[in-house]
Amino acid sequence: MHTYDDAAFDRFCSDLVNAGFSANGDQDQPCWAGPIRPSLRGHTDATRMRIQFYSGWPLRYAHVVVPGLRTGHASQGTICLWAEDDPAQIDGITLQGLWDRLDQWAAAARDGFNPEDRALDAHYLYDERSDYRAELPLQDLIAGGTPGYTAEVFGTLQGTSLLIGAGNPPDPRNIGKPVLTGAFYLRDHLADPPRTLDDVRAALSRRQRRNLDRGLTARSDTAFPEPSGGHDFIVLAWPRHDADHDAIVVSLSGLGDTLCTRALAATPNDVPALRRRAGADADLLANKTVLIAGAGSVGGHVAVAVAASGVGTLYVYDSDFLTSTNVVRHVGTRHFVGYPKTVAVRAVVEQHAPWTSVTGHDDLPYDPVRLRATISGVDVVIDCTGVLPLTAALADVCGRRGVPLIVGALFHHGALARVQRQSEGDTPIAARVDDPRYVALPPDTEAVCPAHPGFLELGCTAPVNNAPPIAVLTAAADTAAAAIDQLTARRQRPDERITVLSPMNPPFDRAGIVDPDDTPAPEYK
């Protein structure tokens, strides 16, 4: 095994020998066996334990394994001393450091782990674990009843994930894959997560046990994930910490005396679980309406970002259709080639943010009366068209109507990304040309920026903007950040920001951010 500190590893192994341990592993994954640590004696009848090393030591700590140990924060005898991403595990570089952490763990296990420290990982404690994973609408199922509630559920495989649903199952002939059947059981409290099917049974109410027995009796002798005619899997859920519930999904294989159960790692896929990933602003943004002009490479990514952040309603305007060449930088995939870009954006948004209502429209009108009517009632307009006349029209109409406007665009084939905000208290975009606080962009000519030349393409009447995908994502991220900053009323950003991605002439000769007042505006001739 290769380590990041061979000298420290040699000292660690020497200390193990002095502590009565002997090597019994291979060269790739060294393992040492020795006497049980005194602090563990109250948790197990075992007299021996193992120290298992993994590649990456000491950045990955040596794991302590006690065969037969059954307690929290221990999976199949392996004690969890540090989380995998915890940098503090480097403290295990010495044997004494490992012993100190193990003694702390033993004391916490004796006194009882705090509920918030136990996490929601019941499948780790089950005696047998499956390589399959499960996803289920946990909150929807919990909301369906009170403790003692039983619901029929079904499951379909997608890759190695069992996607669990409730209600009427789909027809296997229509989806081209088998449909598994199972049962969902809701309980009010469990002292400890179940480790076996007998533990699951003991946790159920009398009515739930009858349901379980009927489902097991109806099974044929098949192995998961083949349909059996009875219960192919079961789900047990119970409150664990505050309003959070834990759940364990158990697959079933075999029949009678040969019945085998394994726990699947499970994650919720209901809307409340998804919204948790939207961030702290999700509730604040839920009632916001955003209009996005332009569903191209930048606009599509902006739409997904603001929707995934929690925005409730999106209006997306663009009359263009997706082509195969667009897919390189667009959120849409080849599946949407030939369809309007707004259709592709709507489909992707619905996948990422099912709480967002998205409607697609043709291009925004230039007519000021129609444009005023179009933006009426929206909280923010985001212009991602890169079309100067439309940007000017939006700036004029939004300014007159008091509607905040965010403009995001790329220049010089992705060398520069500029994000402008026009809202209450900001300098109107049209007035910034004569304001020395705002840095003027250089003329968009190949002589100024030869690094990213455009190109002509069949069917195009002008050179194609050859901004690389990284520039597109940078512009989209900064545009979306400016929109969220406005929607949350924080206004922590300046009203204009230029990001230099490929250095050019001063003041854009260094990669980074250029804000108003950073430098005097240059004169271009």
Side-chain angles (χ1 to χ4, degrees):
M1 182 186 76
H2 297 289
T3 77
Y4 286 94
D5 193 330
D6 290 341
F9 180 71
D10 290 340
R11 290 193 297 270
F12 195 105
C13 293
S14 295
D15 290 342
L16 282 173
V17 171
N18 293 333
F21 283 74
S22 59
N24 66 352
D26 56 35
Q27 186 174 359
D28 292 333
Q29 286 193 337
C31 181
W32 293 70
I36 196 77
R37 181 74 177 166
S39 61
L40 297 177
R41 289 173 183 162
H43 302 288
T44 177
D45 294 331
T47 59
R48 306 279 289 175
M49 57 186 256
R50 301 195 309 271
I51 306 296
Q52 178 72 60
F53 291 91
Y54 295 97
S55 296
W57 188 93
L59 306 180
R60 297 176 67 196
Y61 71 96
H63 287 56
V64 178
V65 182
V66 181
L69 180 66
R70 296 168 65 91
T71 185
H73 279 300
S75 175
Q76 297 180 337
T78 299
I79 297 175
C80 178
L81 295 178
W82 286 281
E84 185 177 348
D85 60 349
D86 189 345
Q89 61 187 293
I90 192 67
D91 293 343
I93 192 172
T94 66
L95 182 58
Q96 187 58 51
L98 185 70
W99 287 160
D100 290 344
R101 183 67 171 181
L102 182 59
D103 292 344
Q104 294 171 8
W105 178 93
R110 180 192 65 235
D111 299 335
F113 294 110
N114 295 325
E116 61 271 24
D117 295 332
R118 297 176 65 179
L120 305 179
D121 51 7
H123 73 282
Y124 277 121
L125 304 181
Y126 205 80
D127 282 352
E128 297 291 337
R129 297 204 303 268
S130 172
D131 292 332
Y132 289 96
R133 303 183 62 87
E135 292 193 9
L136 70 162
L138 183 57
Q139 289 300 321
D140 297 339
L141 290 167
I142 291 169
T146 56
Y149 168 69
T150 300
E152 293 183 0
V153 290
F154 65 87
T156 57
L157 278 182
Q158 182 169 303
T160 58
S161 289
L162 177 68
L163 305 183
I164 298 173
N168 295 324
D171 189 329
R173 295 170 296 183
N174 294 336
I175 62 175
K177 62 178 67 175
V179 176
L180 307 182
T181 59
F184 171 81
Y185 305 120
L186 180 62
R187 297 300 293 145
D188 55 352
H189 174 72
L190 291 184
D192 294 297
R195 296 175 179 270
T196 65
L197 182 60
D198 288 340
D199 290 347
V200 172
R201 184 191 301 274
L204 302 179
S205 68
R206 183 179 302 176
R207 180 176 296 179
Q208 289 173 330
R209 283 196 292 270
R210 287 199 297 267
N211 177 278
L212 174 61
D213 291 340
R214 285 195 299 269
L216 295 180
T217 302
R219 285 184 52 81
S220 59
D221 192 4
T222 60
F224 185 85
E226 293 296 324
S228 67
H231 286 348
D232 303 308
F233 64 93
I234 54 176
V235 183
L236 173 64
W238 67 98
R240 187 74 175 271
H241 174 58
D242 289 341
D244 292 322
H245 280 64
D246 203 352
I248 188 165
V249 179
V250 177
S251 68
L252 304 171
S253 295
L255 185 66
D257 293 339
T258 65
L259 185 67
C260 176
T261 64
R262 290 187 172 88
L264 284 68
T267 55
N269 61 8
D270 46 75
V271 171
L274 299 180
R275 282 186 67 84
R276 290 185 178 188
R277 302 303 195 278
D281 296 327
D283 291 340
L284 185 61
L285 299 173
N287 295 321
K288 301 296 184 181
T289 298
V290 174
L291 186 154
I292 299 180
S297 55
V298 173
H301 287 288
V302 169
V304 174
V306 297
S309 298
V311 167
T313 304
L314 279 183
Y315 302 136
V316 184
Y317 285 77
D318 198 316
S319 63
D320 200 10
F321 286 73
L322 196 70
T323 68
S324 294
T325 53
N326 295 148
V327 172
V328 175
R329 300 180 301 193
H330 202 270
V331 295
T333 65
R334 287 185 179 273
H335 176 78
F336 297 102
V337 167
Y339 292 93
K341 289 179 179 178
T342 55
V343 171
V345 170
R346 183 177 71 240
V348 176
V349 167
E350 288 173 348
Q351 290 291 315
H352 286 262
W355 51 81
T356 303
S357 171
V358 188
T359 54
H361 307 268
D362 287 339
D363 291 334
L364 283 174
Y366 276 95
D367 178 79
V369 174
R370 293 175 57 204
L371 192 54
R372 284 197 295 270
T374 301
I375 68 171
S376 177
V378 305
D379 294 291
V380 164
V381 173
I382 305 176
D383 174 27
C384 298
T385 62
V387 178
L388 181 58
L390 183 59
T391 300
L394 281 170
D396 180 76
V397 172
C398 287
R400 293 176 184 273
R401 301 291 290 183
V403 177
L405 171 66
I406 305 295
V407 180
L410 287 164
F411 300 89
H412 297 285
H413 307 294
L416 303 177
R418 184 176 67 184
V419 177
Q420 298 172 301
R421 183 190 68 220
Q422 179 182 278
S423 184
E424 184 179 1
D426 295 333
T427 301
I429 288 177
R432 297 180 190 183
V433 175
D434 300 320
D435 191 326
R437 294 177 303 155
Y438 296 90
V439 181
L441 296 179
D444 201 357
T445 63
E446 300 301 337
V448 175
C449 182
H452 301 289
F455 55 87
L456 290 174
E457 191 173 71
L458 185 66
C460 294
T461 58
V464 174
N465 188 324
N466 201 24
I470 295 301
V472 169
L473 293 173
T474 299
D478 205 37
T479 302
I484 300 301
D485 182 58
Q486 174 65 37
L487 287 166
T488 57
R490 294 193 186 99
R491 291 175 58 90
Q492 296 171 335
R493 296 168 53 97
D495 61 7
E496 185 162 318
R497 173 173 290 172
I498 298 172
T499 302
V500 181
L501 297 168
S502 295
M504 300 170 55
N505 296 329
F508 309 114
D509 51 339
R510 293 183 181 181
I513 303 298
V514 178
D515 285 341
D517 301 325
D518 280 350
T519 185
E523 295 183 1
Y524 291 99
K525 299 179 180 181

